[in-house]
Amino acid sequence: MNEDTPETALEERTTPLNVAGAVPQIVPDDNTDDLKILLGEFEGPLDLLLHLIRQEHVSIYDIPVARITDEYLRYLRVMQELDIAVAGDFLVMAATLIELKTKMLLPRDPLAAEEEEDDPRTDLVNQLLEYQKYKAAAEMLWSRATVEQAVFKRAELETDKNNPEVAVGLFDLLKVFQDILARHKEEKLLEIERDEISMAEMLERLRNMVMSAGELNLRVFFERAKSRRELVLAFLSVLELVRTTEIRLFQRETFGDIVARVAS
Amino acid sequence: MATNEERVNQESVDEAALNEEASRELAAMVAEVEQSSGAAEEEGIDDMPLSSPQSQAERAAVIEALIFVSDEPLSAKTIAEVLKEDKEVINEAVQALAQEFNARNGGLQLREVAGGWQFATRPEYHEHVRAFLKTRPSAKLTIASLETLAVIAYRQPVTVPEILEIRGVQSPSSIKTLLDKKLIVAKGRKETVGRPMMYGTSKEFLLQFGLKDLSELPSVEDFHDLSGG
Amino acid sequence: MATNEERVNQESVDEAALNEEASRELAAMVAEVEQSSGAAEEEGIDDMPLSSPQSQAERAAVIEALIFVSDEPLSAKTIAEVLKEDKEVINEAVQALAQEFNARNGGLQLREVAGGWQFATRPEYHEHVRAFLKTRPSAKLTIASLETLAVIAYRQPVTVPEILEIRGVQSPSSIKTLLDKKLIVAKGRKETVGRPMMYGTSKEFLLQFGLKDLSELPSVEDFHDLSGG
């Protein structure tokens, strides 16, 4: 099933190494500009363990701990040879496995009743079974999203434009408040400085930029500001035109770019 | 939380009077501001008396029009409120309308999603629609984010440490991605050590995954060993 | 696959049967959708070869979908270009589609306006549509109201002049909106010049944002925890 996951669509590097049936990959992280190491196709230590269990054709309910631990450690060693920082969570699991391996080697307590004795692997097995469910659920979600992306809603109607509205969550509230505080600070600064562009001129600039294209990414508009003061004016002029309903704002993601459009 | 309750109740006694006073005061201020600026944030709701639809066909037609103009999925409850009709009557009418509309087998479907009804194109025709709109499918979530989302969807409300326990890896950047995409929302704090924030799925989640409601998710217990084969 | 694994899986087969059926259905839809969008992701949309609709019914369905997603009336000429078909063929197809669609006598019509085709509600139902649109903006807030709410939530109890000081903009109508929506309440007067009214968030605010009490509001630290990872 791993082979069908969307991540394989990423460009593959032909690394000669092949550990535990997986090729380590270096890919750009979606959230930062950093490169991250994709440990084969594995999202974490449980994912890697599940893969090893499948590869070794063993039952998840009766894991040969010594064998699987060796495979697991071999995998981590290769990572280290490649000079790759192995994520902490992988090391924690390595420690757990080694401890488990040791426990399995210990002679059984002759005083304990045979059936009553706890299998030291129970916790790990339960964890793996639990994780497996959510991994499958994630694949189901991926399928649903794929189908849903092929469904389109109607184009915007005149009547959608009644109000520059935003749907609000808790973190939006915090973000908005931080923005206001930042703005407030800027305004205090503003009282000291003078000259440069005026508010009226800034309003005119914004109007022109939105009108000429019908739509304007506000980041582009803000980046034109040459000073912090101009930036504040730019921000205020956006708020002003929203207030007077000359423009409307759109934001596709909570902290994504905001786009201004002419309100007709 | 008895003390909290008490405090809230206590407040509501004086609240009514205070609020009324505040409203009067504000109305005057609003009038003043509007006069000087000439612009208003018009948000008032005028209640206009409206006749209910006469026939069954008319009712279906009105419902169809309302679902179309609504910019998000429209629930039977809202339709019933607007038309001042019984919710059950409307519910049946929408179901019948959807059946009739979808039997046409046209390019559009009337479907139930995120607790409401919505017109949308059928997925079969996405290629042509995409070519016309010149859009690409938006970036998919990473497996890490999808796994995190799956845990949140089935275990909500759930905290970051609880997600870590199930996935076996830290997920902070996944959670931030999901928050940015509005797929999950904060659901208050858990009364435990450190009072961690709890997360749950949002209406946007239902929309983006084409779900009527959370109960439409297949039971997670059915996902035994699917990856085994 | 190994026999012992099969044996272990045997127990869960029955339980998962239903689920598997649903999975297969979903997989088929995914396959259909992926086939084309996968190509689009790699090659870019412009040079992607697009097949013309196969049958008359499919052509009508595609046209219906295109008109629906277009943000302005869509001419037969444009449709013909997108589908790479003869303009006359498309013209006839749209006419036929309009006839079929309008014969339903539903709440929507497919009409020709300004040289193109569009879906619109029938004028007979505009009274209901207007009534609906007026009642609609309930769950949503304008940016001005949202800002005011944020200031009140984090700085309560707070007066109108204090909010003005922080936001830098007059907020009386926003405050009135928030009062009307019962998200905030008056909290008595501040013993200072002019004895201005103080505002705070309401029980309704806690309910709408899923909070038990105000201590559950996310703090700057919560935000940094996520950004840090």
Side-chain angles (χ1 to χ4, degrees):
Chain A
M1 275 225 159
N2 268 326
E3 282 72 28
D4 294 325
T5 52
E7 227 65 353
T8 45
L10 288 164
E11 140 186 35
E12 282 202 24
R13 314 257 160 158
T14 38
T15 317
L17 273 158
N18 193 317
V19 187
V23 182
Q25 287 182 315
I26 300 172
V27 297
D29 192 318
D30 285 349
N31 300 310
T32 67
D33 290 333
D34 302 337
L35 291 178
K36 69 168 182 185
I37 304 303
L38 209 62
L39 291 174
E41 303 143 346
F42 307 119
E43 290 303 322
L46 293 173
D47 200 15
L48 173 55
L49 270 182
L50 278 180
H51 177 89
L52 295 174
I53 287 165
R54 229 171 293 136
Q55 181 187 257
E56 298 294 304
H57 298 317
V58 294
S59 165
I60 197 168
Y61 297 98
D62 187 20
I63 303 170
V65 177
R67 204 160 114 208
I68 293 294
T69 303
D70 290 347
E71 274 297 302
Y72 186 93
L73 293 178
R74 192 160 78 88
Y75 187 88
L76 294 199
R77 221 170 292 130
V78 170
M79 292 284 98
Q80 275 157 355
E81 276 165 23
L82 284 171
D83 212 13
I84 290 165
V86 176
D89 297 311
F90 280 87
L91 297 177
V92 172
M93 178 57 78
T96 308
L97 285 174
I98 291 166
E99 191 194 340
L100 208 52
K101 188 176 161 185
T102 319
K103 271 191 193 158
M104 298 291 285
L105 289 174
L106 286 177
R108 294 187 164 211
D109 182 354
L111 297 178
E114 242 173 67
E115 298 116 79
E116 297 295 306
E117 199 170 358
D118 281 337
D119 188 329
R121 301 172 294 184
T122 306
D123 283 349
L124 182 64
V125 170
N126 286 339
Q127 212 184 349
L128 283 169
L129 288 174
E130 190 70 0
Y131 170 69
Q132 195 168 242
K133 285 182 208 158
Y134 291 99
K135 192 171 160 52
E139 282 168 21
M140 177 276 297
L141 286 180
W142 180 81
S143 302
R144 290 205 76 107
T146 305
V147 171
E148 194 55 27
Q149 283 201 346
V151 174
F152 292 82
K153 279 40 132 199
R154 69 158 164 74
E156 195 169 75
L157 295 178
E158 217 32 54
T159 49
D160 296 343
K161 303 175 182 174
N162 284 352
N163 265 322
E165 288 167 340
V166 275
V168 187
L170 260 182
F171 274 91
D172 298 282
L173 212 57
L174 173 67
K175 184 75 179 18
V176 162
F177 184 62
Q178 285 179 301
D179 289 349
I180 297 167
L181 288 187
R183 191 173 81 209
H184 184 48
K185 230 183 252 171
E186 299 283 354
E187 277 163 10
K188 290 269 165 175
L189 281 174
L190 221 152
E191 288 165 12
I192 309 160
E193 295 175 30
R194 284 289 142 80
D195 70 84
E196 285 184 286
I197 190 170
S198 72
M199 182 69 184
E201 286 163 339
M202 186 58 83
L203 279 169
E204 208 41 46
R205 177 194 285 182
L206 175 57
R207 273 195 197 100
N208 288 337
M209 282 177 82
V210 179
M211 297 297 171
S212 63
E215 181 175 306
L216 172 66
N217 186 326
L218 286 187
R219 198 166 43 78
V220 175
F221 176 60
F222 290 144
E223 276 166 5
R224 273 194 58 174
K226 293 190 191 68
S227 65
R228 294 179 78 82
R229 179 181 173 276
E230 272 195 34
L231 186 65
V232 175
L233 282 183
F235 188 68
L236 290 177
S237 62
V238 170
L239 288 183
E240 179 61 17
L241 291 198
V242 167
R243 197 183 64 82
T244 60
T245 65
E246 280 176 71
I247 60 170
R248 297 165 38 249
L249 301 184
F250 294 86
Q251 191 180 24
R252 291 180 186 96
E253 294 168 15
T254 314
F255 305 132
D257 281 358
I258 300 179
V259 173
R261 278 192 205 154
V262 183
S264 37
Chain B
M1 279 287 144
T3 47
N4 236 335
E5 280 290 310
E6 266 166 39
R7 191 166 53 79
V8 171
N9 286 340
Q10 187 56 46
E11 268 168 16
S12 62
V13 178
D14 326 322
E15 247 175 42
L18 262 178
N19 283 345
E20 214 175 291
E21 199 180 333
S23 274
R24 263 200 310 279
E25 209 177 272
L26 284 165
M29 288 172 80
V30 170
E32 206 173 290
V33 171
E34 275 173 19
Q35 227 173 3
S36 55
S37 71
E41 291 168 42
E42 198 236 308
E43 286 173 71
I45 297 168
D46 289 322
D47 239 323
M48 188 163 62
L50 192 66
S51 54
S52 296
Q54 298 302 303
S55 68
Q56 213 163 320
E58 196 188 331
R59 182 183 297 123
V62 170
I63 292 171
E64 183 172 308
L66 295 186
I67 293 174
F68 179 76
V69 297
S70 175
D71 57 355
E72 44 187 54
L74 192 59
S75 69
K77 186 166 161 283
T78 308
I79 300 172
E81 279 164 14
V82 173
L83 301 185
K84 298 187 175 64
E85 294 211 56
D86 183 60
K87 204 202 137 193
E88 261 322 295
V89 173
I90 295 296
N91 211 11
E92 273 169 39
V94 187
Q95 300 277 359
L97 172 65
Q99 204 161 24
E100 178 262 323
F101 193 90
N102 294 332
R104 289 177 57 243
N105 269 314
L108 301 182
Q109 53 172 328
L110 179 50
R111 63 169 194 165
E112 201 175 2
V113 63
W117 292 87
Q118 174 189 68
F119 285 105
T121 64
R122 282 185 202 272
E124 297 93 288
Y125 307 114
H126 76 110
E127 249 181 293
H128 291 100
V129 173
R130 219 165 250 152
F132 169 65
L133 293 175
K134 297 194 167 53
T135 60
R136 297 156 178 273
S138 52
K140 293 217 172 85
L141 293 170
T142 61
I143 297 185
S145 298
L146 278 170
E147 282 185 12
T148 307
L149 184 58
V151 174
I152 294 174
Y154 282 101
R155 281 291 180 89
Q156 56 188 305
V158 66
T159 67
V160 172
E162 286 161 359
I163 299 167
L164 166 66
E165 201 178 306
I166 292 174
R167 287 197 61 226
V169 243
Q170 305 272 2
S171 338
S173 71
S174 292
I175 290 180
K176 182 154 189 310
T177 304
L178 297 173
L179 274 174
D180 282 353
K181 292 189 187 293
K182 288 177 186 272
L183 291 170
I184 59 168
V185 288
K187 292 270 188 188
R189 296 183 182 282
K190 185 158 186 166
E191 293 307 332
T192 174
V193 187
R195 301 188 79 226
M197 190 65 82
M198 297 187 290
Y199 297 93
T201 52
S202 63
K203 190 172 173 183
E204 186 62 27
F205 167 76
L206 298 176
L207 283 171
Q208 287 201 21
F209 290 86
L211 294 162
K212 275 180 227 176
D213 50 50
L214 286 174
S215 72
E216 213 197 336
L217 282 174
S219 161
V220 75
E221 298 308 321
D222 290 343
F223 285 123
H224 285 278
D225 262 349
L226 287 186
S227 43
Chain C
M1 277 283 127
T3 45
N4 56 349
E5 187 168 352
E6 264 165 37
R7 191 161 13 88
V8 171
N9 287 347
Q10 195 56 49
E11 322 159 6
S12 52
V13 165
D14 289 339
E15 283 171 35
L18 236 160
N19 196 46
E20 247 172 71
E21 194 181 318
S23 284
R24 263 200 305 279
E25 237 166 74
L26 194 58
M29 283 173 86
V30 171
E32 191 176 312
V33 167
E34 274 296 281
Q35 225 174 358
S36 37
S37 58
E41 265 164 43
E42 273 144 48
E43 287 164 33
I45 352 155
D46 296 331
D47 34 309
M48 185 177 68
L50 193 65
S51 53
S52 298
Q54 298 300 304
S55 67
Q56 213 166 320
E58 196 187 330
R59 182 182 299 123
V62 171
I63 293 173
E64 183 172 307
L66 293 185
I67 295 174
F68 179 75
V69 298
S70 173
D71 56 2
E72 45 191 46
L74 195 59
S75 69
K77 185 166 161 286
T78 310
I79 300 172
E81 281 162 14
V82 174
L83 302 186
K84 296 187 179 66
E85 293 213 56
D86 183 59
K87 204 202 134 190
E88 260 323 296
V89 174
I90 295 298
N91 209 10
E92 272 169 40
V94 187
Q95 299 279 358
L97 172 66
Q99 206 162 24
E100 179 262 325
F101 194 91
N102 294 333
R104 291 177 56 242
N105 272 314
L108 297 181
Q109 53 174 329
L110 181 51
R111 61 171 187 182
E112 199 172 6
V113 15
W117 293 87
Q118 73 174 184
F119 285 104
T121 54
R122 279 185 202 275
E124 298 95 288
Y125 309 115
H126 280 187
E127 200 191 333
H128 287 101
V129 169
R130 257 195 300 274
F132 163 67
L133 290 174
K134 276 201 170 160
T135 60
R136 198 186 34 156
S138 52
K140 290 176 167 183
L141 295 170
T142 62
I143 290 173
S145 302
L146 174 58
E147 284 196 2
T148 307
L149 181 60
V151 172
I152 293 174
Y154 282 97
R155 283 291 165 88
Q156 57 189 300
V158 64
T159 67
V160 174
E162 286 161 359
I163 298 168
L164 166 65
E165 159 83 355
I166 296 173
R167 277 193 65 217
V169 202
Q170 294 270 17
S171 334
S173 68
S174 295
I175 294 180
K176 188 159 186 313
T177 302
L178 295 172
L179 271 178
D180 289 346
K181 289 183 195 291
K182 299 192 176 7
L183 289 170
I184 60 168
V185 287
K187 294 268 186 188
R189 297 190 173 278
K190 186 163 184 168
E191 293 308 330
T192 175
V193 187
R195 302 188 70 235
M197 190 69 81
M198 296 186 294
Y199 296 92
T201 52
S202 64
K203 193 177 180 184
E204 179 64 26
F205 170 83
L206 296 178
L207 280 175
Q208 283 208 16
F209 285 89
L211 298 168
K212 268 207 280 297
D213 54 59
L214 286 172
S215 74
E216 291 197 336
L217 270 177
S219 67
V220 180
E221 287 72 40
D222 288 316
F223 197 70
H224 284 306
D225 281 353
L226 294 176
S227 318

